[in-house]
Amino acid sequence: MSPEMPTITINGKACDFAGGQSILQVANEHGVEIPQYCYHDGLSVVASCRICLAEVWAPNPRNDNKLEAIPKLLPACQTPAGDGQVVSTQSPKALANQKSVMELLLINHPLDCPVCDQAGECLLQDYSYEYGRSVSRFEEEKLKQPKKELGPNVLLYSDRCIMCSRCVRFTREVSGTAELMVQGRGAHEQIDVFPGRALDNPLAGNVVDLCPVGALLEKDFLFAKRVWDLTDTPSIDGLTSSGDNIWVCHADNIVHRIKPRTNLDINKWWITDEVRAGYQRVHGDDRLTGPRRREHGVQIDTDFRRATIEAVEGLRRAVSRGGIAVLVSPMLACEEAYALAKAAISLDSGATFGVGPIPVDGEDRVFPEGAGDGFIMRAEKAPNARGVRRVLGALSSGDVLGFDAWMDAAQGAGGVVITGNYPSEWTTSAMVRLCKDEKRFAVSMDTIEGPVNDVCDVVMPGSTWVEKAGTFENANGVLQAFEQAIQPVEGTRPEGQSAMAMLATIHGERAGIFNANSVRGEMAAAVPALAMFETDVRTPSGAGLIESDMATVEF
Ligand code: SF4
Ligand code: FES
C-alpha cells in the first residue's frame, strides 16, 4: 500500500485508491466481495438494483475528523470512496437489505435453474446462496412474463429478468443502436425492443454476457451444454485483425461458444457477433480431413508421413525448374509463417514469398458511431497479415509480395506451396490453373475443401486457430499469443507441424512436435529483426483462467 494514497477500509480490509473511484470499484480492485447486479465497469452507473447498499462511516472535519455513521445505507457503486471512510456490507443493516433485495427479486422469478443456460454462472443463483433467505414468504401466484425473440441471435426469457438495465444501457452507450427499452411499470416492467425494430447490430451478443441472470440467451448456445462442463481457454480473435481477446469454451474436443476476455487496451469487455460466431467453422462439414497425394494423375488418400515425403521430393525437383513460390495465408500464426519460410529456404534460398489474399469488407466501423474512443469492428477479415509479413520480410532475400504480384511471380515457378485456412472458399480460377499445370508441382495446406485442393499434387489439411497455439499481430501492431483450446480435428494438423515435418525430411531428421513457444524463442534468437517475439509478445493473464484439460503451451 502506498503511503501517499488515500485509504478506505471495506469490510475490515484497508484499501488504497485513486481519486474518483467509487467504493465498489475500490472493493472490486482489492478483491473484497460486494454483491452487485446493475453495476458494470463498462456502463454508466444507475444504482438501481440496491444489492450493494453499504453502511458507511466517514470522518467529519467539523468534529476533529471523528468517524460518524451516515444514517442511510449508501449504494457502494455510486458513492465516491473517501479517505478514512469505514465501510461495511456485513453489518446487520446491510445484511438485512441484501436479504430483502433477494427476496423481492425472487418473488416472480420462475426458479427454473435446472433448465436455464445461465445456471452455474448466474449471479442470482450465487447471491441467493450467499445473501438470500433459505425460504420464500411469498404465497401468491407468480406473475408470468413472456419469452421473446429480440433479434436474430438473442432470446429474452422475461420472467428471469431482474431489471438491472445493463442490456438497455449497452445498446445506448456502447453499440449506440438503442434498440432496447424498459416497457411497463412496477412488477409488470419488461425489457423489449421498440416496435418494428429488432436487436440486430454487430455487437448485439454482448447483452447476453452482460445479463447477470439467464434472461438474455444466445440462440446458438441454447440448451447446448451445461457451463460447468466447459473448459475455457484464453485465445485471440482468429477471424479479423482486431486482436480481440476471447475465451474459447469447449468440452469433449468440441467448441461450444466464444466469450469476450476483458482487455482494456484492446477490446475492453466486448466482441462483435462475427468474432463470437467464429468457432462455427471449426466443426463445419466442409473441413478438409485426411492428406492426399497425386498418383498417375489422380488424387488418392495417404498419410501425413507419405504426403510430407512426396511434398519435399516434388519441391526439390522444382528448384531447378524455376524455383519455389510460397503463399502464406494471413490466417496463419507468425510461428507457422516462420516454419514454412525456413523449410522453403532450405530447399531454395531464393524462394519467392507472398502474403495470401487479405479479405476486406467495407471500412472499419466505430461503435457508437462517430465516437473518438469507441469500439472498432475491423473491416480486415484476417487476424495476422502484419505478423506474417513481418516474419517473411525478416527471412526472405527478396520483397514479400502481395497476392496479385505473387500470382504473377508464381507463373515462372517450378513448385508452389499454397496455404489457406480461410473460413469460406477463397481460391480463384487463376489459382486452379496455376496448381493444375502439370509442369508445376503444387502443395496445398488448407482447412476447407475447394477446387485448388482438388488439383494439387499433395494436400495437407491444416488446423484452425483454436486447434493450435501461436501469435497474431493485430491491426495496431500488437503481438499477442494464444493457446491451443482443442486437439486438431481428426485428419488435420497445424500448418506449422507440416512445415516442421518438411524441414526435418529435407535434412533427413525425425520431426519433433511443433511448439509455438519454442519456435518464438528460436525466431528471436536466430533473426535479430524478430527479437520482438522474445520481448513484445503479450500472453494471456491467468485471471479467469479455467484450467484446460488439454495439453497447452507453456508461456
Ligand atoms: S434482461 Fe438481463 S441485462 Fe437486461 S435488464 Fe433484465 S436482467 Fe438486466
Ligand atoms: S450494483 Fe449498486 S445499486 Fe446495483
Side-chain angles (χ1 to χ4, degrees), residues 260-279:
R261 185 161 56 89
T262 305
N263 184 327
L264 298 184
D265 296 337
I266 310 266
N267 53 306
K268 298 184 177 135
W269 305 269
W270 327 118
I271 51 172
T272 58
D273 284 5
E274 101 184 306
V275 172
R276 192 178 295 271
Y279 74 91

Side-chain angles (χ1 to χ4, degrees), residues 432-492:
V432 176
R433 285 196 297 279
L434 180 83
C435 297
K436 202 175 177 181
D437 189 336
E438 282 177 7
K439 295 194 289 300
R440 191 173 298 108
F441 188 82
V443 177
S444 112
M445 297 181 191
D446 206 348
T447 44
I448 56 170
E449 295 283 2
V452 164
N453 295 321
D454 292 342
V455 296
C456 283
D457 296 284
V458 174
V459 180
M460 290 194 259
S463 302
T464 61
W465 92 112
V466 298
E467 299 160 80
K468 57 194 173 188
T471 305
F472 289 150
E473 180 171 347
N474 79 353
N476 290 329
V478 180
L479 289 163
Q480 298 182 98
F482 57 94
E483 285 193 27
Q484 177 183 1
I486 60 170
Q487 294 295 348
V489 165
E490 199 180 338
T492 75

Side-chain angles (χ1 to χ4, degrees), residues 419-432:
T419 56
N421 213 323
Y422 296 88
S424 53
E425 174 47 31
W426 61 282
T427 52
T428 61
S429 48
M431 289 181 78
V432 176

